[in-house]
Amino acid sequence: MNLSRVNSIFRKAEQDGRRFLLEPEVYALLRACGIATPRFLFLKKGQKADRKNLSALRTPEVVVKVVSPLIVHKSDVGGVAFVPGQPANVNEVIRSMVRDVPKKFSDWQRKIGSKKTYSPEEIRNQVRGFLILEKVAYKDSGFGSELLVGLRHSREFGPIVTMGLGGLDVEYLSERLKEGKALAIGSAPLLRQEEIASLLRPLAFFDKITKEHRGRKAAIKEDELVSAFSCFLRLGAHFSPYARMSPYVIEEAEVNPFVVVAGRLVPLDGMCRFSRAHVQARPRLSASLDFILHPRSIGIIGVSERMNLGRIILKNILREGFPGEKVYIVKPGVKEIDGCRCLPGVSELPETVDLFVLTLAAEQSVGVMKELVRTQKARSVVIIAGGLGEKTGTEALEKKIRELISHSRKRGRLTPIVNGGNCMGIYSAPGKYDTTFIPEYKLASPGKKNPRLVYISQSGAFMASRMSKLPFAEPRYAISLGNQIDLTASDYLNYFNNKKEVFLLALYLEGFQPGDGLALARAAQEAARKGKMVVVYKGGRTPEGREATSSHTASVAGDYAVCRSILETSGVFMAEDLTEFESAIQNLLPLSAKTPRGRRVGLISNAGFECVILADNLANRHALELASFSEKTRARIAGILGPLGIDRLQDVRNPLDVTPVADDATFAGCVKALLADPMVDCAVVSPVPMTSALQTLPPGETHRENIYQKESIGCRLAELFRKSPKPFVVNIDAGAAYQPLADLLVSAGVPVFRHSDRALRFLGKFVHVKLMTAEVAKREEEEGS
């Protein structure tokens, strides 16, 4: 790749007063990147084609395209024509385009309601010339014949590269293809060369053009697609707003379409926009988070002698065991509240506090922040103030706080890190405090048996709702981010990557500060390498959701498809809905010690319908493969089923239907045999509990069952889960009468679901993340050695 040549192309366009490339320059850029282009010549406006220059194209028919900085969609306005490659034909088409295209383009602008329109004469003056290209002979074999490869700068994730179906119908086809089949999305700074192929293989067209199909040879090798994607990745990484390896930044570049000719990708059209808009890297603040998460002293303002939001926060701080003598209240005219010393102002604080909690209205927050920065009386601040940045008219207040912090840091002064604004506060079990403003009778203090979970949420209410619904999932920390004025999700994730006692990080995000999506993806990769799990639920996916996000946490939601793809390839468990998010919190913790070796899944139930449904749901986005039992396992299971005669009712195969005849010992014995098979990597166990052969009910007057006896199926499965190194999940597809059985398993640390499709989808995602992480770790180890 000739990067100096690319720089030269941008420089010449810039000298011409442009921040975009004309099509001939796009072809020159592609050639500098090692991508073969059609033969072409460029005729400036007024120049004529002759036999000598046309003969260099070596084709009896040519393509004529108008070249103008105004006209992007040339086909829509008659700016593309196929003509015989004779000077008379070419020159006649050029004359007709000069005459007709400006008016067609002017009419087209009005038709689509363009904000800025040009007169035909203005458009004619902007025609720079005409591009004459050889007509590329390629076989249009339908679906997959034309591809799109693009690079663009994402505000949240930096430079990203996409590959998908191209041509005029690209939007129509992409909208109608299954999720994950239409478009591959990769991060230019993060995606490794050896990961490209696995990103492209799920695309709907991939097998059709890279493999033999109905007697037709493969149109192109996989390596050619990988090479094109890799080229755009290298361009994105070098001309990134964060890299500063070039004075230029590629804002957007696209080839649509690429066509396959003689086993190679050939571009037929392209565009590129560039700038000098480099982004200043924000300071990484994770090193200072001990002050906010494990403070030795706390200051607070906004506490009333009567019960108010600030007073609730004070009581919550003290309830968690924080020493009252190290809590200072800024409140003039009062000596103490709840045993804590009051002071007339910020400057009178007896020490520089590690944490200051600001609970005043948005309009008063700026003044308090100025005083804290001026007096250097706080190392960290939590701004609870609602409305800051989200309510019309308060954007200026938020901007003042950002500028205040930035200016102080540039001067090298002690400057607090800031969490919020518009947040609900922070709960820290190790820090022995809770600055949330929910009274204890509304949300009890979390348990502290062995908390390995951290909530990081832009919405405090979302975080509180999960804590209320999932009391058994005890958080070690619960952090409400709010608007991310200063501290962001990536700061916290980087911090917790170095905390061995934390395993699961559950994030609810609505939007990112510029570049923080990329920073979060980097942190997630590190978390995965250290054996942690990160689960993310992303709000603001739809146009309506993005508008609500803007009004809620003053955030830009961005493109959800980009967010999901980049985070997933970074090892994040992306939850598609709230149920999946909550089940991930409940079920990932028990799986922390389980390591799958592959995607081969064993399925077992005592009901035929359940086996069918389980098999049907294998074909999901993170597909597992149906394991083939070894002969030894088949014989072992047949021996277990024999005493009850089940072997005469069913063949031993996967999914394994042990029928309603199987009792507790038989069912559990088959599960044990299945898990012992070296050809099985993971399992879904789905006992339909209504059969009288299984003990699935707590003791009652109308029956003799007892799920708490160690011989019951519940206790047996719990013991199997404890001993098995392989991950498996249990599905109980039944009503409320069997909730005690589910609770028994959950209390024993077994992942439990109430719908088989969700059980299988969850296990597939878990296995996908763990295998992808293991593969990356292995490659890094090999490279290191």
Side-chain angles (χ1 to χ4, degrees), residues 84-136:
Q86 302 299 319
N89 300 96
V90 173
N91 292 326
E92 175 57 32
V93 166
I94 289 174
R95 282 192 295 272
S96 65
M97 284 188 180
V98 170
R99 182 183 67 243
D100 300 333
V101 167
K103 184 177 186 309
K104 288 181 179 179
F105 182 71
S106 182
D107 294 342
W108 179 80
Q109 282 188 309
R110 286 193 294 271
K111 181 180 177 182
I112 66 171
S114 179
K115 291 182 180 179
K116 186 172 183 179
T117 58
Y118 297 87
S119 68
E121 191 57 35
E122 289 174 317
I123 297 164
R124 190 171 288 109
N125 290 336
Q126 287 294 316
V127 172
R128 300 295 177 89
F130 294 87
L131 185 66
I132 319 298
L133 304 103
E134 65 168 315
K135 183 183 178 184
V136 176

Side-chain angles (χ1 to χ4, degrees), residues 18 36 45 55 122 145 168 175 228 277 319 347 369 379 404 427 445 452 456-457 508 517 532 569 579 603 643 690:
R18 290 180 282 115
K45 189 164 64 172
S55 65
E122 289 174 317
S145 297
L168 297 176
E175 286 175 3
R319 179 199 71 211
S347 59
M369 281 299 302
R379 293 184 176 88
L404 182 68
Y427 163 79
S445 175
R452 305 180 64 201
I456 301 172
S457 176
Y508 170 73
K532 301 179 189 294
T569 54
T579 302
L603 308 174
M690 284 74 77

Side-chain angles (χ1 to χ4, degrees), residues 605-610 659-664 667 686-697 703 705 707 713 731-739 741 754:
S605 181
N606 56 349
F609 87 90
E610 193 76 356
T659 80
V661 176
D663 57 18
D664 302 85
F667 195 109
S686 187
V688 176
M690 284 74 77
T691 174
S692 59
L694 295 178
Q695 293 191 74
T696 54
L697 292 170
H703 60 83
E705 293 184 20
I707 58 173
I713 186 62
N731 177 60
I732 300 174
D733 189 3
Y738 302 95
Q739 187 60 43
L741 174 60
R754 304 306 296 270

